[in-house]
């Protein structure tokens, strides 16, 4: 296979060397495809010089940096497992991931020096710790180290893979260990080809990425966008109006969001929302967290039927997707399975009838393990070998999946299973609510009762009158058993930048001194 038949940034560096592969939103720094190719080759050479071989681990801990994607691809073209580490973690949490993954090299940046300088990084040799944009004691200068390496490919290129850690929203982070690809270098997996074809991503794509690159979806969608020839426009930090301005400025064709982004953009004044030309925008993908029906409907009314949703996880064991047309026919659905076959099962593992909620399993999807955790791996498996992300949902007669909640967050009150997502979606749609979480808290009679924790639009409204208004609002639209018995107000919910809520952390504050039976 010659370079022009391969799908990776080097093929496009040969064809269109000066075309942008990466554009940074603030400051506009551009990484061309030729520079991207050179940097990733230099990275691969450096990793080999450090003694890393196929299957070893490279850890990256940095902000949305111009070199994030070239360095990630450099590790992958060296056949490594690349672990991107969240920037909001504490030193102890980062050290846990470094130790658990057995990382043999660590790349960070001067912007993260305060935390990086306190790391133990027991598995990483001192010579394999590097920092961009300057260095501190204990770290080599990564810019200089890369510049000293050849810009041509290493002799033993092979396809690597990401090894990302779960967000820890239901407990300690789990490393998702996938099988290393055995395809020849330059050949993406068939399902990657199918995914890019589904969204029409090719060398004409200009992809806006508003989220942190350490998350699975932003990282891997950008890597695949680049290897299929697309340009990635990276926002250092999400800003609702700036996102719209970038769509106009760069004639964005593709983008990916979480519901929180949608909510923030919808809260912009009408004159700001109508100020920018969004006509280039062809595909707006969203995932990662449940999207309230009213929010999604408003986005489709505003942007048109370009909104595409998918349901998947870092585990990569299945893929469910839906477009605007089919979603409008089945509001709330996340779509039909494109990778793997859906199986919905009860607590005993028996498949349940159509329309009945149960644990969502994928049959026949890609295989994964939770690194160093055979117990969690076993918990994710059905006796027939199917795998689950731990979510609860049901399928309709046409095979469309509707999610109800994470299994771990099901509230059991008086023996009745209550799925919080429905109430959360309802509350988030209230005009005086910015964000909401619904959790189970201790109740002496029923075991648990339903509580809402609400982030109001105006914290000055956080009083008994708003609590009464929201409780009445819930009872007007939902069965009373699903409605909160009490509401607490907070200035900000513990939500990640990818939209996922640290619900376990929130619940733990209410279970101090109680036996928490839901993990």
């Amino acid at each position: 296979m010659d370079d022009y038949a391969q799908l990776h940034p080097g093929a496009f560096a040969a064809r269109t060397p000066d075309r942008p592969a990466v554009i940074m939103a603030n400051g506009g720094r551009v990484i061309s495809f030729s520079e991207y190719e050179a940097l990733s080759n230099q990275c691969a050479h450096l990793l080999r010089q450090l003694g890393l071989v196929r299957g070893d681990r490279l850890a990256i801990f940095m902000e949305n940096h111009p070199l994030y994607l070239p360095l990630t691809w450099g590790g992958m073209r060296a056949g490594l497992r690349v672990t991107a580490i969240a920037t909001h973690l504490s030193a102890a949490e980062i050290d846990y991931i470094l130790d658990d993954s057995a990382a043999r090299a660590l790349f960070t940046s001067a912007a993260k020096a305060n935390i990086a300088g306190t790391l133990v990084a027991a598995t990483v040799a001192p010579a394999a710790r590097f920092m961009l944009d300057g260095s501190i004691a204990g770290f080599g200068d990564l810019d200089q180290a890369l510049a000293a390496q050849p810009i041509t490919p290493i002799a033993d290129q092979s396809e690597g893979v990401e090894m990302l850690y779960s967000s820890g929203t239901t407990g300690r982070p789990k490393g998702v260990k996938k099988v290393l690809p055995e395809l020849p270098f330059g050949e993406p997996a068939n399902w990657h080809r199918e995914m890019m074809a589904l969204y029409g991503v090719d060398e004409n794509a200009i992809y806006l990425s508003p989220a942190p690159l350490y998350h699975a979806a932003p990282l891997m969608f950008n890597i695949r966008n680049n290897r299929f020839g697309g340009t990635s426009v990276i926002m250092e930090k999400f800003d609702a109006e700036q996102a719209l301005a970038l769509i106009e400025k760069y004639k964005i064709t593709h983008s990916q969001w979480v519901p929180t982004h949608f909510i923030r953009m919808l809260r912009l004044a009408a004159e700001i929302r109508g100020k920018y030309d969004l006509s280039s925008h062809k595909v707006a993908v969203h995932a990662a967290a449940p999207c309230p029906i009213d929010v999604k409907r408003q986005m489709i009314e505003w942007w048109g039927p370009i909104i595409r949703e998918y349901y998947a996880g870092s585990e990569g064991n299945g893929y469910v997707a839906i477009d605007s047309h089919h979603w409008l026919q089945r509001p709330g659905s996340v779509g039909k399975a494109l990778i793997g076959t859906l199986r919905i099962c009860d607590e005993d593992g028996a498949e349940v009838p159509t329309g009945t909620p149960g644990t969502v399993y994928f049959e026949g999807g890609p295989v994964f393990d939770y690194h160093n955790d055979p117990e969690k791996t076993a918990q994710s498996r059905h006796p027939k070998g199917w795998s689950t992300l731990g979510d609860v949902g049901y399928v309709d007669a046409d095979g469309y999946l509707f999610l109800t909640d994470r299994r771990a967050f099901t509230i059991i009150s008086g023996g009745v299973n209550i799925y919080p997502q429905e109430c959360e979606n309802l509350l988030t749609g209230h005009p005086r609510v910015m964000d909401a979480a619904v959790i189970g808290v201790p109740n002496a009679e029923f075991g648990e009762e339903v509580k809402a924790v609400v982030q109001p639009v105006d914290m000055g409204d956080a009083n008994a009158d708003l609590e009464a208004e929201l409780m009445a609002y819930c009872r007007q639209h939902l069965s009373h058993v699903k409605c909160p018995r009490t509401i607490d107000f907070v200035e900000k919910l513990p939500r990640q930048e990818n939209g996922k809520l640290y619900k376990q952390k929130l619940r733990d504050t209410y279970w101090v001194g109680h036996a928490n039976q839901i993990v």
Side-chain angles (χ1 to χ4, degrees), residues 23-105:
I23 301 173
M24 301 304 294
N26 293 339
R29 180 174 173 183
V30 174
I31 306 290
S32 68
F33 271 96
S34 60
E35 186 180 1
Y36 193 113
E37 171 71 359
L39 284 164
S40 64
N41 282 327
Q42 289 172 318
C43 177
H45 278 286
L46 175 61
L47 292 165
R48 286 288 187 266
Q49 181 178 297
L50 294 169
L52 276 73
V53 299
R54 179 171 168 80
D56 281 343
R57 280 68 155 180
L58 163 66
I60 298 178
F61 170 60
M62 64 179 72
E63 73 281 11
N64 279 12
H65 191 283
L67 302 196
Y68 205 122
L69 296 175
L71 292 177
T72 299
W73 178 241
M76 288 184 170
R77 74 187 304 160
L80 304 187
R81 289 189 165 95
V82 180
T83 297
I85 299 178
T87 56
H88 62 265
L89 297 181
S90 67
E93 291 169 318
I94 296 168
D95 268 322
Y96 164 76
I97 291 174
L98 292 172
D99 291 348
D100 188 71
S101 66
R104 293 197 56 204

Side-chain angles (χ1 to χ4, degrees), residues 290-308:
C291 187
I293 288 175
D294 287 347
V295 168
K296 183 162 179 177
R297 198 184 299 277
Q298 289 178 66
M299 287 302 302
I300 294 173
E301 290 172 355
W302 178 16
W303 283 3
I306 69 169
I307 310 291
R308 309 283 288 269

Side-chain angles (χ1 to χ4, degrees), residues 141-175:
D141 187 314
L142 184 53
D143 296 287
Q144 291 182 8
L146 291 172
Q149 302 299 324
I151 64 172
T152 52
I154 57 174
D156 59 340
Q157 292 187 105
S158 64
E159 292 281 335
V161 71
E162 75 277 17
M163 181 172 159
L164 305 181
Y165 276 69
S166 68
S167 57
T169 53
T170 60
R172 206 164 196 183
K174 304 179 290 288

